């Protein structure tokens, strides 16, 4: 156990509307979420003395975290704009915890937003995503989009372990069912495995419904030290464990396409928390594609190697199953505004642990696992959150 | 071909000038470490295995096998859209390193993991040709 375990807590969360949000600018969405998160925590904006953010593609700034602070009218003593792809939000929670624990600040705001639907033209969005996908010299000349590079991992994983397209499709079906119970989810229309398998091919074996959504939206998180957290408005959600591991950026550099840095980031987080996979009541796993969920379930120790397909097929990841996953619907159905994507997994974990999830509430949820994955299975950060 | 010319041509950097120059001459070369002996991909200024700066260029055989592959239907831009569906693969070179390429001269659905492939070079500009792979001779086309 580390001194960091249980030393800090998440005390406020908020998410903006998702989908098409033409009426708000990107920075405005960060500000709106920040005010809502602070209000639900019961803290004043002037209490915030640390700001961690992610820049947006639709409205980029040279020093995003400083611009947000200026817009909010606060003058932090700790500020950083971060870039670890889908692992950024979990990593920001980790960095915030370390800074709080070290006494570098007292109250941290984490905020992120982007507008991939109404903030960019379709061609701009595709160009922005393509520019960020693949090594400029050794990959982009071959025409890879992000789905194609995840498809390489899916192809290899299916070859080695015999997971079926039907099992992968079930991941999408479960996420859509969960989204149907979330008031803010972007896509709620139920889908079947047949719908997934009949959807348009993107990069085989991945089809449209194996891929996450494209959204506008954002979110914010407020953190403070555990002693202060107990005096605030919400039930505090304590950070019990964290771990990071970054093996590579480019997919052709991955030592093994069927296992990634999540194995080690997860082990570190469990070790810090003094807990094991079996102790988790709910898991929020980065789900940019259906394959990502399968690989993470195995690397994080929630099921044995090669058995994620069968695990999903058994109903384990659905509400009521052994390990409900992404009860908000994830990036596949709740929303995926690009860089902000990972923030919603943390927000949902916090709401589960507070017991605020109504129809999608996991009964007596006391421990939640959150995993952020960025790049092409490249960057990894795991969090373990708990009520006490 | 206009279509070929509109596809991306990489811009060489300090550590890759020789690699791209050789590719334009129809040769695949690999940076290798003279201290620990390991070849690397992509070329770097220092060995990622042992940290040594004592490196050399070696001719690669141009032979490899497909480690993973995908048939791309949604391409990133107009130039690639004209080629879709096309195959992107990770190729394990006989010398050890892995690289990305398209697998050409073969129906996309026939490309499979373990397929032996041979390098060829596709011109993307007057000074840049990129390594590509096609089924090795004797392989079912």
């Amino acid at each position: 156990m580390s001194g960091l375990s249980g030393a800090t807590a998440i005390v406020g969360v908020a998410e903006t509307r998702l989908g098409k949000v033409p009426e708000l600018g990107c920075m405005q969405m960060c500000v709106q979420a920040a005010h809502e998160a602070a209000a639900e925590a019961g803290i004043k904006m002037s209490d915030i003395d640390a700001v961690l953010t992610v820049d947006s593609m639709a409205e980029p700034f040279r020093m995003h975290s400083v611009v947000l602070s200026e817009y909010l009218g606060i003058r932090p003593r700790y500020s950083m704009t971060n870039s670890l792809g889908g692992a950024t939000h979990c990593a920001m929670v980790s960095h915030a915890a370390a800074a709080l624990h070290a006494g570098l600040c007292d109250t941290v705001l984490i905020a992120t937003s982007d507008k991939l639907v109404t903030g960019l033209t379709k061609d701009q969005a595709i160009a922005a995503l393509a520019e960020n996908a693949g090594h400029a010299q050794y990959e982009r000349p071959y025409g890879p989009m992000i789905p194609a590079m995840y498809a390489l991992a899916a192809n290899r994983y299916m070859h080695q372990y015999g997971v079926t397209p039907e099992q992968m499709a079930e991941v999408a079906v479960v996420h859509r069912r969960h989204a149907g119970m979330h008031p803010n989810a972007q896509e709620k229309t139920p889908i079947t495995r047949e719908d997934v398998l009949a959807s348009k091919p993107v990069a085989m074996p991945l089809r449209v419904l194996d891929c996450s959504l494209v959204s506008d939206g954002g979110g914010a998180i407020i953190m403070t030290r555990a002693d202060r957290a107990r005096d605030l408005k919400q039930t505090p959600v304590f950070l019990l464990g964290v771990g990071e591991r970054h093996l590579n950026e480019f997919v052709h550099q991955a030592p093994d396409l069927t296992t990634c840095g999540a194995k080690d980031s997860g082990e570190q987080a469990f070790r810090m928390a003094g807990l094991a996979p079996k102790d988790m009541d709910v898991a929020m796993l980065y789900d940019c594609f259906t394959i990502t969920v399968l690989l993470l379930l195995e690397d994080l120790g929630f099921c044995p190697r090669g058995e994620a397909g069968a695990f999903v097929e058994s109903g384990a990841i659905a509400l009521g199953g052994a390990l409900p996953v992404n009860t908000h619907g994830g990036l596949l159905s709740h929303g995926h505004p690009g860089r902000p994507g990972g923030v919603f997994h943390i927000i949902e974990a916090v709401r589960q642990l507070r017991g605020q999830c109504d129809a999608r509430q996991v009964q007596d949820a006391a421990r939640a696992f959150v995993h952020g994955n960025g790049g092409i299975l490249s960057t990894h950060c795991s969090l373990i959150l708990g009520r006490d | 071909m206009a279509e070929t010319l509109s596809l991306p041509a990489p811009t060489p950097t300090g550590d890759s000038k020789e690699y791209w120059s050789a590719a334009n001459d129809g040769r695949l070369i690999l940076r290798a470490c003279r201290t620990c002996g390991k070849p690397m991909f992509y070329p770097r200024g220092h060995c990622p295995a042992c940290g040594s700066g004592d490196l050399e260029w070696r001719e690669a055989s141009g032979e490899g096998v497909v480690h993973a592959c995908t048939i791309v239907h949604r391409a990133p831009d107009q130039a690639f859209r004209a080629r879709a569906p096309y195959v992107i693969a990770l190729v394990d070179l006989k010398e050890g390193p892995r690289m990305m390429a398209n697998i050409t001269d073969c129906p996309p659905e026939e490309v499979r993991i373990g397929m032996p492939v041979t390098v060829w070079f596709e011109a993307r500009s007057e000074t840049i040709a990129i390594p590509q792979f096609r089924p090795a001779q004797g392989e079912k086309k």
Side-chain angles (χ1 to χ4, degrees):
Chain A
M1 300 267 282
S2 142
L4 200 57
S5 182
T8 65
I10 295 174
V11 294
V13 295
E15 65 190 67
T16 69
R17 212 158 62 69
L18 284 160
K20 286 184 185 172
V21 191
E23 70 277 15
L24 296 177
C26 282
M27 194 54 84
Q28 207 180 351
M29 283 199 281
C30 275
V31 169
Q32 187 190 79
H35 275 287
E36 283 178 23
E40 80 148 31
I43 62 158
K44 296 195 296 287
M45 198 48 75
S46 57
D47 290 337
I48 292 169
D49 62 351
V51 176
L52 298 177
T53 71
V54 185
D55 200 2
S56 68
M57 289 197 255
E59 208 178 296
F61 289 96
R62 194 162 60 92
M63 296 185 286
H64 186 271
S65 62
V66 180
V67 177
L68 174 61
S69 305
E70 182 185 282
Y71 195 133
L72 287 166
I74 58 175
R75 294 171 179 174
R77 54 182 175 136
Y78 190 91
S79 184
M80 189 71 77
T81 306
N82 300 271
S83 174
L84 284 172
T88 313
H89 309 88
C90 287
M92 287 195 290
V93 168
S94 170
H95 290 232
L100 287 165
H101 188 52
L104 298 177
C105 53
D106 296 317
T107 309
V108 183
L109 165 67
I110 292 168
T112 174
S113 70
D114 212 338
K115 293 182 61 169
L116 296 191
V117 186
T118 66
L120 298 169
T121 65
K122 194 177 176 195
D123 282 347
Q124 278 177 326
I126 290 173
L129 292 169
E131 267 169 37
N132 287 311
H135 194 294
Q137 291 185 68
Y138 308 111
E139 294 184 338
R140 274 187 240 156
Y142 303 105
M145 293 277 278
I146 294 169
M149 294 191 277
Y150 275 89
L152 290 169
N155 168 257
R156 186 73 203 179
Y157 176 73
M158 291 167 110
H159 172 81
Q160 274 182 227
Y161 296 108
V163 70
T164 64
E166 289 76 13
Q167 291 170 329
M168 216 157 70
E170 182 64 17
V171 175
V173 172
V174 169
H175 279 70
R176 185 58 58 87
R177 199 184 311 145
H178 290 173
M181 291 177 258
H182 192 295
N184 196 37
Q186 184 176 336
E187 291 290 346
K188 301 187 188 198
T189 313
I191 52 172
T192 63
R193 286 190 201 187
E194 291 68 34
D195 293 332
V196 181
L197 296 172
S199 63
K200 283 188 183 164
V202 175
M204 293 305 286
L206 301 179
R207 295 172 178 277
V208 167
L209 290 175
D210 286 297
C211 303
S212 45
L213 303 174
V214 179
S215 319
D216 297 340
I221 294 171
I222 309 275
M223 289 179 69
T224 190
R225 273 185 294 279
D227 52 340
R228 280 192 70 215
R230 290 178 221 280
D231 302 329
L232 296 174
K233 267 165 76 175
Q234 303 290 331
T235 305
V237 168
F238 298 98
L239 178 65
L240 305 179
V242 299
E244 283 186 46
R245 183 61 70 192
H246 314 289
L247 296 182
N248 57 281
E249 158 68 316
F250 300 111
V251 68
H252 77 272
Q253 295 284 317
D256 183 340
L257 290 174
T258 65
T259 178
C260 59
K263 189 169 187 307
D264 193 45
S265 71
E267 280 169 8
Q268 290 181 63
F270 284 122
R271 204 177 312 130
M272 187 189 287
L275 295 168
K278 64 172 171 46
D279 301 319
M280 299 297 111
D281 300 311
V282 62
M284 307 301 165
L285 308 180
Y286 202 83
D287 57 313
C288 46
F289 299 94
T290 49
I291 180 64
T292 321
V293 176
L294 298 180
L295 294 173
L296 291 178
L297 283 168
E298 293 180 14
D299 272 338
L300 296 169
F302 291 115
C303 66
R305 177 68 50 202
E307 292 182 22
F311 186 71
V312 167
E313 210 163 33
S314 77
I317 70 166
L319 273 164
L323 180 78
V325 169
N326 296 340
T327 52
H328 58 314
L331 306 169
L332 288 165
S333 286
H334 169 268
H336 191 6
R339 292 178 186 170
V343 80
F344 306 108
H345 296 85
I346 303 169
I347 292 171
E348 179 71 357
V350 168
R351 288 175 175 160
Q352 282 287 354
L353 295 174
R354 289 179 185 165
Q356 296 174 330
C357 287
D358 301 324
R360 64 183 200 285
Q361 181 64 43
V362 173
Q363 218 180 345
D364 302 322
R367 304 262 188 271
F369 193 95
V370 188
H371 187 84
N373 154 85
I376 313 301
L377 300 162
S378 313
T379 61
H380 295 276
C381 184
S382 304
L383 306 178
I384 294 172
L385 303 175
R387 279 201 307 234
D388 44 44
Chain B
M1 280 195 310
E3 180 218 317
T4 302
L5 289 176
S6 64
L7 290 166
T11 304
T13 46
D15 45 19
S16 69
K17 273 187 311 222
E18 288 91 342
Y19 174 83
W20 290 115
S21 170
N24 204 42
D25 294 338
R27 294 183 303 124
L28 182 66
I29 59 171
L30 293 174
R31 202 73 169 138
C33 178
R34 284 155 56 100
T35 304
C36 74
K38 287 192 181 129
M40 68 191 75
F41 189 88
Y42 42 86
R44 295 159 163 94
H46 282 80
C47 173
C50 76
S52 168
D54 186 12
L55 308 175
E56 64 182 4
W57 291 101
R58 292 183 194 160
E59 293 286 330
S61 64
E63 294 168 27
V65 296
V66 173
H67 179 79
C69 55
T70 177
I71 302 175
V72 178
H73 294 264
R74 290 239 179 137
D77 58 32
Q78 204 57 51
F80 279 111
R81 234 164 272 156
R83 284 198 170 186
Y86 54 90
V87 175
I88 292 177
L90 297 181
V91 173
D92 285 341
L93 300 175
K94 192 176 168 187
E95 291 77 11
R98 180 176 297 163
M99 61 187 290
M100 184 180 280
N102 300 124
I103 306 295
T104 65
D105 302 278
C106 177
E109 61 279 5
E110 287 182 21
V111 179
R112 60 183 197 283
I113 288 173
M115 176 185 251
V117 289
T118 311
V119 76
W120 68 279
F121 295 86
E122 179 193 335
R124 287 285 172 92
S125 74
E126 281 178 17
T127 54
I128 292 289
I130 64 166
Q132 292 282 28
F133 286 81
R134 55 166 65 115
Q137 240 175 359
E139 261 305 292
K140 182 173 163 285
K141 297 276 170 75

